[in-house]
Amino acid sequence: MKTKHTYIKDIAMVFAMALSFWSCEDQYERVGEEAGTFVFPQSVSEGFTLTYTEAGKEMTNQDTTLTRAVVKLSAARNENYENMRFRYQVFPEGMRLEFYDDEGQMNIIEADFAMVYTDTNLIELKGNVVLTSHDGKKLEAPQMYYDRANNWIFTESSFRYTNPEDGTIMMGKGMDFDRNFTKVQAQRTDGVIVIKEEES
């Protein structure tokens, strides 16, 4: 049977343990990346598809005219961070971009991961990035950027370019081109380039 003295001793022991835990509390002030600011998306979409269209002429609110698809973006998942000061969207499970030229021919870019920076009109593509043109040309790189405002695509990474039509295989580092793959500028290249001789 516990006496009054035993109860007081038990209470003192519990109080001492509580004090010891309180004194061991982490007093370290975290700054920078350690601070761990939590960021939550404004919305999350599954089976995401977005189509950019263009009208053939300038329109007023009274006009009706046919529009054509210019870019179609599709992804398994979209995380929207438009609620942040620097607005952006993330496609953590990859994305597919389809570009249509004036004749309706489609060029495709696919990547394992993508970020769309809303205020700069820039799309960053990372991981197994592959651009395939409507005529079978292919450009592969670990990272590419698409400038939506200027319809320009570029990479500072290593790349591999193949053209099945003439057997060209080109490798290098750094390349930029328009979305229709008609204007191409490479910075450093090496590989096999086939030059067809004219028959006499």
Side-chain angles (χ1 to χ4, degrees):
M1 182 175 174
K2 289 189 176 184
T3 64
K4 186 176 178 184
H5 180 70
T6 309
Y7 282 116
I8 293 172
K9 191 175 176 183
D10 288 346
I11 292 170
M13 176 83 83
V14 169
F15 184 70
M17 288 178 69
L19 275 176
S20 69
F21 282 122
W22 181 75
S23 64
C24 291
E25 184 183 336
D26 183 2
Q27 300 295 319
Y28 178 72
E29 184 180 347
R30 287 168 172 77
V31 295
E33 290 182 7
E34 287 186 331
T37 305
F38 295 104
V39 177
F40 298 99
Q42 175 176 291
S43 63
V44 175
S45 305
E46 304 284 342
F48 183 86
T49 302
L50 179 64
T51 304
Y52 295 92
T53 58
E54 196 174 81
K57 62 175 185 174
E58 189 174 331
M59 297 170 55
T60 67
N61 60 357
Q62 300 290 322
D63 287 338
T64 58
T65 188
L66 292 176
T67 60
R68 67 178 187 88
V70 178
V71 178
K72 182 179 177 182
L73 184 158
S74 54
R77 181 181 174 89
N78 167 255
E79 296 175 6
N80 184 326
Y81 294 89
E82 299 285 322
N83 53 332
M84 306 298 292
R85 184 176 294 158
F86 184 72
R87 300 177 299 155
Y88 64 96
Q89 294 187 46
V90 179
F91 299 86
E93 297 173 24
M95 73 155 22
R96 175 185 169 101
L97 280 169
E98 298 174 0
F99 302 91
Y100 299 89
D101 63 18
D102 294 337
E103 284 75 47
Q105 298 176 118
M106 181 175 68
N107 301 316
I108 301 166
I109 296 184
E110 294 176 292
D112 293 341
F113 175 88
M115 283 187 77
V116 176
Y117 301 100
T118 308
D119 297 323
T120 59
N121 266 326
L122 199 66
I123 299 176
E124 180 184 9
L125 303 140
K126 291 197 296 192
N128 299 311
V129 186
V130 179
L131 187 152
T132 309
S133 67
H134 67 274
D135 54 0
K137 298 183 184 99
K138 188 181 282 188
L139 181 71
E140 300 164 86
Q143 185 176 34
M144 274 189 228
Y145 294 91
Y146 171 48
D147 180 349
R148 290 187 295 174
N150 299 303
N151 290 322
W152 202 253
I153 301 163
F154 60 94
T155 181
E156 297 298 320
S157 304
S158 57
F159 68 85
R160 178 186 171 92
Y161 168 78
T162 53
N163 184 349
E165 189 179 281
D166 60 12
T168 299
I169 300 171
M170 189 191 320
M171 289 160 285
K173 191 168 184 179
M175 178 182 269
D176 57 294
F177 45 93
D178 67 342
R179 74 175 185 201
N180 297 326
F181 225 130
T182 53
K183 300 172 186 172
V184 179
Q185 297 174 338
Q187 295 171 20
R188 241 180 25 225
T189 60
D190 57 63
V192 178
I193 300 174
V194 177
I195 300 172
K196 292 183 179 177
E197 292 183 14
E198 292 183 16
E199 294 181 9
S200 52

